[in-house]
Amino acid sequence: MDVKVFQTFLEVSKEKHFGRASENLYITQAAVSARIKQLEEYFDTRLFTRHRNNIQLTSAGQRLVGYAEVMVSTLKQATFDLSLESNKALQLTIAGTPNIWDAYLQNCLSIVTESLSGYGFVAESLGREQLNRKLLERTLDVAFSFDPFKVEEFNSHKIAELTLVLVSTEQRTLDDAFNDKYVYVDWGTQFAFEHADRHRNIPAPYLRTSTGRIALDFVLEKGGCAYLPSSLVTPFLDSGQLTIVEGAEEWTRPLFISYRKNSTSLEAIHQVEKLVNTIEPTTSYLMQQAGENIE
């Protein structure tokens, strides 16, 4: 079935008016009605209830919305991918969680794109569940995460280690560091278990976040402390804006690369994997510039 039928369905479900939907889609109202009728006949169910100008989704129509959105978005992504420059020999879609980008991938992406000529790249910041889903859907080639994906269809390998340090805006000891504006950053499932074991009976965090950059900005502005990657905070330690909490041990977190075992891009993925294995987590260009400006 033509995806335009689903686009029309979504437009009508949004506008709840055939006339406005036809204007938005630049087609006639008769064409809108014909497409909705075609869809209803295909699924053998009513998708809308019509009472004069009052148009509402039926329960079947409500269930169809999610499927229609996936079909339309997938087609748009495929259209975009296939419309990239024809002289690119290969395209790779690389994604990681926000924290992975902050601490590792930003600099890693610069090196990979510079080293592998003839490739086109797509870079995305996604949650762990989205990484898993997109790998399964084959819309993502390579995923980076703090915890490996335990899926039979995937290969997951450790490719680097990230060093976390407990930093503060003022001199503190480990005994009092958690008593004032402690920001808990989610560095993966294993980190959560180890954190609970290492720091028992501490007060509830002042702020919880899944992003190291949010924690860094908050601590720099409001004070407090947080476990942050040394690669992210080095410029601010050098400038004196941050200091390492006295008595706090460094925390090492493994980084994993994951991809489908039967991916059609395995040759390119293996090249990327070989390259990133040699890259140490390094302060991103933006953070380097921030540190230099402060100094």
Side-chain angles (χ1 to χ4, degrees):
M1 180 175 290
D2 192 337
V3 74
K4 291 179 181 178
V5 176
F6 291 98
Q7 291 175 319
T8 303
F9 165 74
L10 290 174
E11 196 63 34
V12 174
S13 67
K14 181 182 72 174
E15 294 292 345
K16 295 186 172 51
H17 193 281
F18 277 50
R20 288 194 294 271
S22 67
E23 292 174 1
N24 295 343
L25 295 170
Y26 300 101
I27 59 177
T28 65
Q29 188 168 333
V32 171
S33 298
R35 290 179 181 180
I36 297 302
K37 182 179 180 181
Q38 179 185 357
L39 203 56
E40 290 181 327
E41 289 178 349
Y42 181 83
F43 289 109
D44 192 24
T45 186
R46 294 185 65 183
L47 301 173
F48 296 96
T49 57
R50 306 168 180 83
H51 299 290
R52 296 182 181 178
N53 289 329
N54 183 19
I55 298 176
Q56 299 293 329
L57 285 166
T58 63
S59 59
Q62 292 173 350
R63 291 196 297 273
L64 182 61
V65 167
Y67 295 104
E69 289 175 341
V70 170
M71 293 185 67
V72 172
S73 65
T74 301
L75 178 67
K76 288 181 179 178
Q77 183 63 45
T79 301
F80 170 76
D81 290 347
L82 296 177
S83 67
L84 293 177
E85 299 176 43
S86 59
N87 64 344
K88 296 293 184 183
L90 183 67
Q91 175 186 300
L92 279 182
T93 300
I94 298 174
T97 60
N99 271 336
I100 294 287
W101 280 107
D102 291 341
Y104 177 73
L105 267 188
Q106 194 64 56
N107 184 62
C108 177
L109 180 67
S110 300
I111 296 174
V112 169
T113 54
E114 184 177 312
S115 302
L116 298 180
S117 60
Y119 289 82
F121 293 88
V122 176
E124 296 185 306
S125 178
L126 303 170
R128 178 177 170 80
E129 293 77 12
Q130 290 175 298
L131 293 176
N132 184 75
R133 176 169 56 81
K134 282 182 169 287
L135 281 174
L136 288 171
E137 292 174 350
R138 302 174 186 271
T139 56
L140 175 63
D141 295 308
V142 186
F144 292 86
S145 60
F146 286 110
D147 300 300
F149 291 98
K150 297 179 181 180
V151 179
E152 179 62 29
E153 294 91 334
F154 298 169
N155 274 329
S156 289
H157 304 299
K158 176 182 172 182
I159 44 90
E161 287 188 339
L162 182 70
T163 300
L164 302 176
V165 291
L166 185 59
V167 295
S168 174
T169 50
E170 58 186 72
Q171 293 290 338
R172 295 175 183 269
T173 65
L174 190 59
D175 292 334
D176 66 356
F178 300 101
N179 295 323
D180 181 32
K181 297 188 180 69
Y182 172 56
V183 181
Y184 177 88
V185 187
D186 180 9
W187 296 109
T189 303
Q190 189 60 36
F191 173 81
F193 293 144
E194 293 176 8
H195 187 280
D197 184 60
R198 181 182 290 195
H199 301 301
R200 301 180 181 182
N201 303 320
I202 63 172
Y206 186 81
L207 173 68
R208 289 178 177 269
T209 178
S210 62
T211 307
R213 285 287 296 278
I214 291 177
L216 175 61
D217 290 346
F218 182 87
V219 169
L220 287 172
E221 180 182 359
K222 300 294 186 181
C225 65
Y227 276 104
L228 294 172
S230 58
S231 59
L232 188 65
V233 299
T234 294
F236 303 96
L237 292 171
D238 293 341
S239 68
Q241 280 197 298
L242 292 176
T243 182
I244 295 178
V245 172
E246 183 181 346
E249 298 180 4
E250 292 184 348
W251 213 321
T252 302
R253 302 295 303 129
L255 301 178
F256 295 88
I257 183 174
S258 300
Y259 51 88
R260 292 186 63 90
K261 293 178 180 178
N262 61 351
S263 171
T264 57
S265 303
L266 275 181
E267 182 178 350
I269 292 171
H270 287 157
Q271 291 184 57
V272 172
E273 183 178 15
K274 182 178 180 180
L275 183 59
V276 299
N277 264 303
T278 66
I279 300 173
E280 292 293 329
T282 307
T283 305
S284 70
Y285 178 79
L286 180 62
M287 291 295 100
Q288 291 175 17
Q289 296 299 304
E292 291 175 3
N293 290 338
I294 291 168
E295 292 177 332

